[in-house]
Amino acid sequence: MSNEDRTPSTPETVNPPSASNGADAPDGVKPPREPRRPESETETAPAEPVEMTGRQRLAAGLWPPRVTRAQLVVALLLFGLGLGLAIQVRSTSDDGALRGARQEDLVRILDELDDRSQRLEDEKTRLDAQRRELENSSDQAEEARKQTQERERQLGVLAGTVAAEGPGITFTVEDPLTAVEPDKLLDTIQELRAAGAEAIQVNDVRVVADSYFSGEAGAVQVDGRKISAPYRFQVIGKPQDLEPALNIPGGIVQTLEKEQATATVTRSEKIVVDALRPAERPDYARSSPR
């Protein structure tokens, strides 16, 4: 065969591999890479906020609690007010011991409370005056000495070792039937002390804190000394307080009248209590520097 008879073969066109199908690429040939997208495009879009219900919003607003100083002060004040009201309601709701008392007893108790309150106010005023004198005195030692002497005199009056005089009353009990028992006379002493009596003398016997009545009707004894009717009480104190204390309804005057005795009260601007008691030295008690 000659060269002219040879027909040159036409080369076949080879199609380039598809960029979209890498599986069709011949072996050993890598498909072209896709262009890289920007990171902003590949990021996930933010999730939309979830709407909360009314109960959830209420719970979020209440917890955790947000307490200011002003709210804390108001809460403490309200707590104190509530506690005070509760105590007051409880105290007023309790049954009082005086619920079943008679009207006469309530009047007498009220008068005695008023008198004691007034005496306490007077004592407070006197002590305040003494304190001011001690503070303002240029010679406090001399002032203290004077007050010591005055206190000694007052204690002597209470102990019955010195005589005393001042305004007061004379209370006389006539006992024609000798029916007055010693306890009735002791009740008289208690009423006078509750009304503010400062010095008491029965007949010729000085009555002090440890005095006692014994015996029987018609043969009454005070501290072991016999006294006889008429029983005459000389009392130093405020007459405006002493006389009503004896004449109140259901008081000692009405009690003695039930025993067929006669009781009279006489006010006086000067009562002398001159019956004395010997000063007794205590067996065990000693003065203390404090």
Side-chain angles (χ1 to χ4, degrees), residues 181-233:
E181 298 287 343
D183 60 334
K184 299 298 187 299
L185 301 179
L186 179 61
D187 292 340
T188 303
I189 297 296
Q190 299 296 345
E191 291 288 350
L192 292 171
R193 284 175 174 168
E198 298 177 353
I200 304 175
Q201 176 177 327
V202 181
N203 290 6
D204 57 351
V205 181
R206 185 72 168 267
V207 178
V208 294
D210 59 350
S211 294
Y212 62 92
F213 286 73
S214 59
E216 58 185 6
V220 180
Q221 294 183 0
V222 182
D223 296 336
R225 298 177 59 181
K226 184 178 179 179
I227 60 174
S228 58
Y231 306 111
R232 188 165 179 262
F233 293 77

Side-chain angles (χ1 to χ4, degrees), residues 121-139:
E121 288 294 333
D122 296 341
E123 181 69 12
K124 177 179 178 297
T125 302
R126 185 182 63 81
L127 292 176
D128 289 340
Q130 290 182 358
R131 178 180 58 83
R132 288 192 297 268
E133 289 178 1
L134 287 174
E135 292 176 350
N136 300 329
S137 177
S138 58
D139 189 359

Side-chain angles (χ1 to χ4, degrees), residues 51-52 58 61 74 100 109 131-132 160 162 176 203 231 237 265 269:
E51 184 177 357
M52 299 176 64
L58 179 60
V74 172
I109 293 173
R131 178 180 58 83
R132 288 192 297 268
V162 297
N203 290 6
Y231 306 111
V265 181
E269 292 298 325

Side-chain angles (χ1 to χ4, degrees), residues 27-175:
D27 296 340
V29 179
K30 295 182 179 180
R33 298 180 178 177
E34 296 181 359
R36 188 174 182 181
R37 297 180 180 180
E39 294 181 358
S40 60
E41 296 181 1
T42 60
E43 291 179 352
T44 305
E48 296 182 358
V50 179
E51 184 177 357
M52 299 176 64
T53 64
R55 182 176 296 179
Q56 292 174 340
R57 289 196 299 271
L58 179 60
L62 294 177
W63 190 263
R66 302 174 180 85
V67 181
T68 63
R69 177 179 296 180
Q71 292 173 340
L72 182 59
V73 172
V74 172
L76 292 176
L77 291 176
L78 291 177
F79 174 76
L81 178 61
L83 181 61
L85 291 176
I87 295 174
Q88 182 178 3
V89 170
R90 182 176 179 182
S91 62
T92 54
S93 63
D94 292 339
D95 292 333
L98 302 178
R99 185 179 298 273
R102 298 178 305 172
Q103 182 177 1
E104 294 81 1
D105 296 335
L106 295 176
V107 172
R108 178 176 61 83
I109 293 173
L110 182 60
D111 291 339
E112 290 181 358
L113 290 177
D114 292 339
D115 295 339
R116 291 177 184 177
S117 299
Q118 184 60 42
R119 290 197 299 273
L120 290 176
E121 288 294 333
D122 296 341
E123 181 69 12
K124 177 179 178 297
T125 302
R126 185 182 63 81
L127 292 176
D128 289 340
Q130 290 182 358
R131 178 180 58 83
R132 288 192 297 268
E133 289 178 1
L134 287 174
E135 292 176 350
N136 300 329
S137 177
S138 58
D139 189 359
Q140 295 186 359
E142 180 64 21
E143 185 66 26
R145 186 184 63 82
K146 292 180 180 179
Q147 292 189 11
T148 301
Q149 292 177 347
E150 178 65 19
R151 177 61 64 179
E152 181 181 1
R153 188 191 65 82
Q154 294 176 358
L155 293 176
V157 171
L158 296 177
T161 58
V162 297
E165 65 177 30
I169 63 170
T170 300
F171 182 59
T172 306
V173 179
E174 299 282 351
D175 185 21

